Amino acid sequence: MNPPKTDARRHHDPEVRGFASDNYAGAHPEVLAALALANGGHQVAYGEDAYTENLQQVIRSHFGPTAEAFPVFNGTGANVVALQAVTDRWGAVICAESAHINVDECGAPERVGGLKLLTVPAPDGKLTPELIDRQAYGWDDEHRAMPQVVSIAQATELGTVYTPDEIRALCEHAHAHGMKVHLDGSRLANAAAALNVPMRTLTNAAGVDILSLGGTKNGALFGEAVVVLNQDAVSHMKHLRKLSMQLASKMRFVSVQLEALLARDLWLRNAGHANEMAQRLAEGVRAVHGVEILYPVQANAVFARLPHDVSERLQKRFRFYFWDETAGDVRWMCAFDTTEEDVDAFVAALKEEMAR
């Protein structure tokens, strides 16, 4: 008996937009075209394909001649693999309390990676040498997990951006204590676009040892990469990636997406546009009486405080999340495909709900 024939059909309205996450956006058309280009025929599995090989040259053009990329499935996987690569079994990672690895990865760095996270409060999401020193001690104390890595995010979970000098100071301070530096770069493109600097200025040139490089939030369908910047800082990356269940068999389909973003300027165009839409949103919101913007709008995120009931009504018209529901804090994210019309419609809806 033949199985019933089914036709693929669209199950969503492509005109519906939200401000909940840049992950809500689809894939950029140039990325989809690259996927089609990589399809067909046979290529060696598990990263021995032509697309993954070429990706290494593209990565080195951004991050220097010794950089090496290890494509993975997702951001949490990238962070877990990267942090495992620069720690011992008794190692600990210093990070901000608001860091994604601490609050949004279901304990994966600790439960899957076997790492202890040593958190410090960072009101604007950014670590400083002084904040690092709150946890940077006890290396000879066998009763305490050993601080071995400082992990920062660029841009941060609060939408703020480190300057190159700030990252350099953090790296010098961490290295002076014998620690390595990991950068969670799920939105590194947005930070580089905001500062108008190459990504290398915020990473290898500043002293970062290992990088989780984002693709999904910047227009990829799926896929990120662990980028080893300091070869002396890691070992057995291939084994760690496989052990952590992040080795793609058909890796060409991850690599070609990253190649499409990075080989020319698509990464910069996408990030720059998302940032511009966030600035437009912030400008519109500032004109609404009773709405407070909480942090500097430096990348593609706007954090605001407004009456709880207003947010609940507004959420019925546009998707977005509470950041701190008790305080009435919300987060609005812009993506590569957010339009001026999307932003203006949202601001108009916000004004209407605030006036009710």
Side-chain angles (χ1 to χ4, degrees):
M1 184 175 181
N2 294 326
K5 293 183 178 180
T6 59
D7 295 321
R9 63 186 67 185
R10 174 168 275 162
H11 296 285
H12 77 291
D13 181 355
E15 300 302 317
V16 171
R17 300 303 180 104
F19 292 84
S21 173
D22 34 10
N23 285 327
Y24 277 39
H28 192 280
E30 292 180 36
V31 171
L32 292 177
L35 281 166
L37 184 69
N39 197 28
H42 287 199
Q43 278 282 289
V44 185
Y46 300 112
E48 299 298 321
D49 59 273
Y51 296 92
T52 302
E53 179 182 357
N54 188 68
L55 176 64
Q56 301 303 328
Q57 300 304 317
V58 175
I59 287 292
R60 288 170 187 145
S61 72
H62 286 282
F63 301 106
T66 63
E68 186 175 7
F70 294 83
V72 296
F73 289 114
N74 54 48
T76 297
N79 286 336
V80 170
V81 171
L83 291 173
Q84 284 181 297
V86 287
T87 51
D88 295 310
R89 290 196 55 163
W90 50 88
V93 178
I94 298 173
C95 64
E97 284 183 349
S98 59
H100 198 275
I101 59 173
N102 185 48
V103 300
D104 283 311
E105 296 188 348
C106 198
E110 295 186 318
R111 294 175 63 86
V112 178
L115 304 166
K116 174 65 176 175
L117 299 182
L118 302 174
T119 65
V120 293
D124 62 353
K126 295 162 64 175
L127 292 180
T128 64
E130 293 75 22
L131 289 175
I132 289 172
D133 283 344
R134 295 190 183 186
Q135 293 284 10
Y137 64 89
W139 288 277
D140 293 325
D141 183 356
E142 66 267 35
H143 301 287
R144 186 173 194 265
M146 182 187 292
Q148 292 186 317
V149 180
V150 173
S151 180
I152 62 174
Q154 177 75 319
T156 73
E157 282 299 290
L158 302 182
T160 52
V161 170
Y162 289 93
T163 67
D165 287 343
E166 288 172 333
I167 296 178
R168 188 174 299 108
L170 287 174
C171 291
E172 290 175 356
H173 192 73
H175 292 156
H177 284 297
M179 297 186 293
K180 302 179 180 71
V181 178
H182 162 255
L183 191 145
D184 180 347
S186 65
R187 296 186 178 96
L188 177 60
N190 298 92
L195 295 170
N196 193 28
V197 297
M199 288 187 288
R200 70 176 68 89
T201 303
L202 304 171
T203 52
N204 55 303
V208 173
D209 296 294
I210 195 163
L211 163 69
S212 300
L213 179 63
T216 308
K217 292 178 172 62
N218 195 221
L221 182 64
F222 64 91
E224 327 283 308
V226 176
V227 181
V228 176
L229 303 172
N230 176 7
Q231 294 292 338
D232 295 331
V234 305
S235 62
H236 301 291
M237 270 296 303
K238 285 186 176 181
H239 297 83
L240 278 173
R241 179 173 56 178
K242 177 66 173 181
L243 179 67
S244 301
M245 298 173 286
Q246 288 292 318
L247 178 64
S249 56
K250 296 183 180 181
M251 196 181 296
R252 58 171 149 160
F253 296 110
V254 181
S255 299
V256 75
Q257 293 180 76
L258 296 173
E259 179 187 12
L261 288 170
L262 298 169
R264 294 187 174 85
D265 67 344
L266 181 57
W267 69 274
L268 184 59
R269 284 187 279 128
N270 285 353
H273 176 79
N275 292 356
E276 289 174 7
M277 293 302 98
Q279 289 294 334
R280 185 182 185 92
L281 176 58
E283 290 174 8
V285 167
R286 287 191 183 99
V288 182
H289 179 71
V291 180
E292 176 189 2
I293 292 181
L294 299 175
Y295 306 109
V297 179
Q298 297 176 329
N300 63 322
V302 179
F303 289 80
R305 180 173 296 161
L306 62 157
H308 190 279
D309 60 323
V310 173
S311 291
E312 287 188 321
R313 294 197 302 270
L314 191 58
Q315 283 178 323
K316 295 177 181 178
R317 303 171 67 173
F318 292 89
R319 286 294 299 268
F320 62 89
Y321 294 118
F322 279 101
W323 190 253
D324 182 342
E325 191 164 2
T326 302
D329 299 350
V330 298
R331 185 190 74 165
W332 298 319
M333 298 297 303
C334 295
F336 76 88
D337 62 349
T338 303
T339 66
E340 293 182 356
E341 291 76 17
D342 296 335
V343 172
D344 294 346
F346 181 81
V347 172
L350 173 61
K351 291 177 179 178
E352 291 174 6
E353 296 301 341
M354 286 292 293
R356 285 178 58 178

